[in-house]
Amino acid sequence: MKKKDNTDIGAVLTIIEPRTFWANLDFSEIWRYRELFYLLVWRDLKVRYKQTFLGIFWAVLQPALTAAIFTVVFSRIAKYETGDVPYWLFALSGFTFWSFISSSVTFASNSLVHHKELVTKVFFPRIIVPASAVGAYFLDLLLTLIILFAGILVSGTALTLKILLVPFFLIFLLMLTVAVSLLLAALMVRFRDVKFITPFFLQVWLFVSPVFYSSAWLPEQWRFVFALNPVTGCLNGFRYILFGTQLDATNLLTSIVVTIVLFAASLFVFRRMEDDFADLL
């Protein structure tokens, strides 16, 4: 909106212009509602573990038990080799991060529908709702990382200065998870089929991601194709930090670029659909 003084007629001319997409994405407005973000994160945590005996430690048990099952199947029966890294620790590193992605996307994709009364009656940046769902599971991830690092130390694997790169890959992981969550949350409001598609999508995504297997086991000609899946670069990066496994810089860069493009596209779709959320819900 622009104002222009007209001294000849003693009036002010107001010109109303449409805002660009990036101008419409007001990060300062999101920051002003940060207390609502914290409130939703805390509420999600309390509701999830209410009346449970182990409480937040379920966040640790889920990836740990899954890793144990896959250790029996792939290490004892299939005889998969992971070099100097114990397979149980290799699998735990994969499922620690995959559990965060899977749980966050599942919960966040339904968050706008779940908070229908809030979305339809109160004004605030709607992006806070799916973002807070991811934030609640991110706290679970930080707890499981402590267990993962403890397991690494117990196994005798030495941690090096590469551990300082962990925050970078956590941001990478967070951007990827938020991007997919925003996209599915927005689509869920318009197409409730997303509720049925999401579990199948996550199952397929698990098998095309090196969660319980190493990218080194893939044929050379397929490695770049798998790098188009951002989880590949993310997990390979974490394992390079934790265990010193081989890291392909080109494939990592490919995964990062795909994540950035996906994040921008998800923001665009979410903002384009946001004005219709109240009517559709």
Side-chain angles (χ1 to χ4, degrees), residues 158-234:
L159 294 174
T160 66
L161 289 178
K162 292 196 292 286
I163 199 73
L164 298 176
L165 295 174
V166 165
F168 167 78
F169 282 97
L170 284 179
I171 293 173
F172 179 8
L173 180 68
L174 198 57
M175 281 187 63
L176 171 61
T177 308
V178 170
V180 178
S181 298
L182 289 180
L183 183 61
L184 292 180
L187 293 175
M188 174 76 86
V189 175
R190 184 177 294 273
F191 308 105
R192 299 304 166 88
D193 310 71
V194 174
K195 176 173 60 177
F196 304 102
I197 295 173
T198 299
F200 175 74
F201 163 70
L202 289 172
Q203 188 175 36
V204 173
W205 198 9
L206 167 64
F207 284 102
V208 297
S209 303
V211 175
F212 56 89
Y213 60 85
S214 171
S215 295
W217 300 346
L218 299 171
E220 186 69 32
Q221 64 271 22
W222 284 101
R223 292 181 187 176
F224 178 77
V225 176
F226 273 72
L228 296 175
N229 170 14
V231 175
T232 300
C234 191

Side-chain angles (χ1 to χ4, degrees), residues 18-262:
R19 303 175 70 182
T20 64
F21 166 73
W22 295 113
N24 198 34
L25 187 61
D26 191 349
F27 289 102
S28 63
E29 182 181 53
I30 297 175
W31 175 251
R32 288 197 299 271
Y33 284 86
R34 63 188 180 278
E35 291 185 3
L36 176 60
F37 173 82
Y38 301 144
L39 179 64
L40 290 176
V41 168
W42 181 242
R43 176 185 178 276
D44 289 340
L45 281 172
K46 289 199 299 183
V47 170
R48 190 190 317 156
Y49 298 116
K50 184 179 181 181
Q51 293 182 320
T52 60
F53 179 72
L54 294 178
I56 198 171
F57 286 101
W58 279 112
V60 177
L61 282 178
Q62 288 176 326
L65 291 176
T66 307
I69 293 171
F70 274 80
T71 297
V72 173
V73 174
F74 288 96
S75 179
R76 302 298 182 185
I77 300 176
K79 303 295 184 182
Y80 278 18
E81 297 293 337
T82 52
D84 297 332
V85 183
Y87 184 84
W88 69 269
L89 195 56
F90 181 90
L92 180 61
S93 68
F95 283 105
T96 292
F97 299 107
W98 175 256
S99 179
F100 164 69
I101 296 173
S102 177
S103 300
S104 296
V105 170
T106 299
F107 190 63
S109 63
N110 196 47
S111 59
L112 291 171
V113 177
H114 181 70
H115 291 90
K116 177 172 65 176
E117 291 78 9
L118 183 63
V119 172
T120 56
K121 296 179 180 179
V122 182
F123 171 78
F124 64 96
R126 305 297 191 251
I127 196 173
I128 288 178
V129 176
S132 66
V134 176
Y137 280 100
F138 188 72
L139 295 178
D140 286 356
L141 173 63
L142 296 180
L143 175 62
T144 56
L145 281 179
I146 296 174
I147 306 301
L148 176 60
F149 289 146
I152 292 173
L153 295 176
V154 169
S155 70
T157 303
L159 294 174
T160 66
L161 289 178
K162 292 196 292 286
I163 199 73
L164 298 176
L165 295 174
V166 165
F168 167 78
F169 282 97
L170 284 179
I171 293 173
F172 179 8
L173 180 68
L174 198 57
M175 281 187 63
L176 171 61
T177 308
V178 170
V180 178
S181 298
L182 289 180
L183 183 61
L184 292 180
L187 293 175
M188 174 76 86
V189 175
R190 184 177 294 273
F191 308 105
R192 299 304 166 88
D193 310 71
V194 174
K195 176 173 60 177
F196 304 102
I197 295 173
T198 299
F200 175 74
F201 163 70
L202 289 172
Q203 188 175 36
V204 173
W205 198 9
L206 167 64
F207 284 102
V208 297
S209 303
V211 175
F212 56 89
Y213 60 85
S214 171
S215 295
W217 300 346
L218 299 171
E220 186 69 32
Q221 64 271 22
W222 284 101
R223 292 181 187 176
F224 178 77
V225 176
F226 273 72
L228 296 175
N229 170 14
V231 175
T232 300
C234 191
L235 288 182
N236 287 345
F238 275 115
R239 283 168 175 156
Y240 167 73
I241 292 171
L242 300 177
F243 312 124
T245 55
Q246 186 178 2
L247 181 66
D248 189 315
T250 302
N251 289 349
L252 174 61
L253 182 61
T254 300
S255 294
I256 292 174
V257 170
V258 171
T259 298
I260 294 173
V261 172
L262 179 61

